[in-house]
Amino acid sequence: MTLDAKIPDGPLAEKWEKHKFNVKLVNPANKRKYDIIIVGSGLAGASAAATLAELGYNVKVFCFQDSARRAHSIAAQGGINAAKNYQNDGDSVYRLFYDTIKGGDYRAREANVYRLAQVSVNIIDQCVAQGVPFAREYGGLLANRSFGGAQVSRTFYARGQTGQQLLLGAYSALNRQIAYGKVQMFPRTEMLDLVMVDGKARGIVTRHLVTGHIESHSAHAVVLATGGYGNVFYLSTNAMGSNTTAIWRAYKKGAFFGNPCFTQIHPTCIPVSGEYQSKLTLMSESLRNDGRVWVPKAKGDKRLAKDIPEDERDYFLERKYPAFGNLVPRDVASRNAKLACDEGRGVGSTGLAVYLDFSDAIKRDGLDKVSQKYGNLFEMYAKITGEDPYQTPMRIYPAVHYTMGGLWVDYNLMTTVPGLYAAGEANFSDHGANRLGASALMQGLADGYFVLPYTIGDYLAQMPAAKVTVDHPAFKEAETNVRATIQKLLSINGTKTVDEFHKELGLLMWDYCGMARNAEGLQYAKGKIQALRKEFWSNVKLYGVNEDMNQTIEKAGRVADFIELGELMVTDALHRNESCGGHFREEYQTPENEALRDDANFAYVAAWEYTGPDSEARLNKEPLAFENVKLTQRSYK
């Protein structure tokens, strides 16, 4: 299939404005005739729902949490990027665009990234108007701090709670529309299938997580804003409920999956403490503004940090990358931390950690200043580890955090299924092979507040306002299939729990498709995952019945999807014979252990097409054209 990204003609800086003028509009009086379903209530979903309802559309929002405000966007800590240049340090829309393209190792679409940089300046104004309590300088202006992959300060923040505060802003806007009756909210409800009528997305099938009730909902368009799939690794910084089911079920209905192997490993996480741990905790990248990363110079040095003299410490990021130091992009920082630990210089009881040390910052600025910036993060670290980071360095290690892959979308954020859109982390766009810190919140709000309201209108303006009811045979067929799958899972009555399968999958993914990959390991993992899938459908153990609150049913459906997705991720990683960003193939690296791209053969988006339950996915390619930046080897030295 030929992929048409629908990128507007004209100069890069004019594409979005020109496109907004050329899209077709829905008359304000006609908007009330159209229904839109939004799955997910995080920053992308809540902002899209509030904005579309404000325009006059009828919106239904679905989330599996008790409340929309419990979406995982709430966990983001460090900040949100925007090209405001408040620091007067040389930032601009173009520099944010360039840093994002370079940070993604030249595997993102130029037009989308430039639009993101343009829209970023509007996001801050929108959030301030909503009352988001961004940090401010002494004179009252909004404060900024630095994040990885940039030499300017462009990250707006609210202490270490930026995601929570931004979500509360979007949530308040959403509640306003709920009160007006323009948004209907469906909490504790999980999407289990996409319904298509005449080749277009026209609704979804859901299961209520308390009653087990299966029902259908119809609409003129469907938006998936369900976040990323990092929990395929079992241990990640994602909430335990985060899953891939919505976008995976859409994939099986014809939506292509873009770059599934592009996953981000965050360098600043609290290390694994035991085999019974269910998730990992992120420590904000903002800490790398003042914290210095180091390990002992000598292998096997088990002395306490305070007993290791300064001249016996290796501040390896500062040594290797003097221009960026501790603020190199996440993939670079993660690989170097792993390398130091692999050399036998890791710290802590497991040797799988490096130090993040604030002693210099405390001496320079005082404990009160450091506490003002990072106090809640330090408190969180102390509660989890039992150690005081003001007195002894934090111990950190890389962990799975964000997924750059997702459903393939065009410039309008529409998937290959007409009428089906994907927003935020659920789509593949904007970040390439690695996401810069503080850009996730930026993309989610850009998609919801400023992109989808234009592009969905363009689609709806070209289709009749006539509704499809849930009595249509396509809905009944989808409901029947959903019930049959649930009953099949309940009837297996095997000996292994869902969590056992999930842990086994996660270990395979981390060991062979994690921070480092190679052809032999990927081939091995693919065979093991295929065997695991077969065993799952013959030996998984569920309890209870469907017509009740039953978390084993929830988990089983999600893990079944994770197993299939894991195989596709391995397939994608195996076909991409290069290293780029978070995809690090050990066979393809520079003499300095940096990622070695192959632009002649792999400068494209890999968009995978579902071909059936027992056949290989089909690869489709969207070539990436770089007309405004030069393809070069990334350097942060």
Side-chain angles (χ1 to χ4, degrees), residues 226-375:
T226 51
Y229 48 89
N231 276 352
V232 69
F233 291 88
Y234 185 71
L235 283 180
S236 81
T237 66
N238 287 225
M240 289 183 66
S242 298
N243 62 82
T244 191
T245 290
I247 61 173
W248 191 251
R249 305 291 168 90
Y251 163 72
K252 295 173 96 168
K253 284 297 182 71
F256 290 7
F257 208 114
N259 298 335
C261 80
F262 285 174
T263 54
Q264 179 172 82
I265 313 297
H266 197 295
T268 318
C269 299
I270 297 177
V272 176
S273 58
E275 62 179 282
Y276 296 105
Q277 195 166 347
S278 58
K279 78 175 297 294
L280 297 173
T281 303
L282 170 71
M283 300 306 297
S284 170
E285 182 175 306
S286 63
L287 295 171
R288 290 198 276 145
N289 271 288
D290 290 301
R292 301 180 70 193
V293 179
W294 66 274
V295 291
K297 288 182 178 179
K299 295 180 181 180
D301 190 336
K302 294 301 180 183
R303 289 177 292 175
L304 297 175
K306 64 182 180 64
D307 296 329
I308 301 177
E310 190 72 16
D311 61 355
E312 295 181 34
R313 302 179 178 188
D314 180 15
Y315 296 91
F316 55 89
L317 293 179
E318 298 173 34
R319 171 174 58 82
K320 292 183 177 182
Y321 310 99
F324 282 74
N326 295 299
L327 288 174
V328 292
R330 291 174 175 177
D331 61 313
V332 177
S334 294
R335 274 199 304 277
N336 278 277
K338 180 181 185 296
L339 186 62
C341 293
D342 289 347
E343 291 171 349
R345 298 190 293 139
V347 301
S349 59
T350 65
L352 294 177
V354 299
Y355 285 129
L356 183 63
D357 194 338
F358 290 85
S359 57
D360 285 353
I362 291 171
K363 290 175 186 175
R364 181 183 67 242
D365 301 328
L367 189 144
D368 288 346
K369 287 283 188 182
V370 173
S371 179
Q372 284 176 20
K373 287 183 181 179
Y374 311 114

Side-chain angles (χ1 to χ4, degrees), residues 547-599:
E547 292 73 23
D548 200 352
M549 188 172 80
N550 188 335
Q551 290 190 318
T552 64
I553 288 177
E554 296 171 37
K555 289 181 180 180
R558 295 169 188 171
V559 171
D561 294 334
F562 275 140
I563 293 172
E564 294 178 5
L565 171 60
E567 183 179 347
L568 184 64
M569 291 170 66
V570 168
T571 299
D572 188 37
L574 196 54
H575 106 277
R576 190 172 282 276
N577 293 321
E578 65 164 354
S579 290
C580 55
H583 168 64
F584 192 73
R585 284 281 296 271
E586 293 173 336
E587 307 97 318
Y588 308 102
Q589 55 182 301
T590 69
E592 295 80 26
N593 304 115
E594 304 293 347
L596 183 61
R597 297 194 320 269
D598 181 354
D599 296 327

Side-chain angles (χ1 to χ4, degrees), residues 4-26:
D4 181 6
K6 295 184 173 64
I7 299 171
D9 296 328
L12 185 66
E14 299 174 12
K15 288 182 185 295
W16 179 230
E17 290 301 317
K18 180 181 177 182
H19 189 62
K20 286 194 293 182
F21 178 75
N22 288 331
V23 296
K24 292 178 172 58
L25 303 177
V26 179

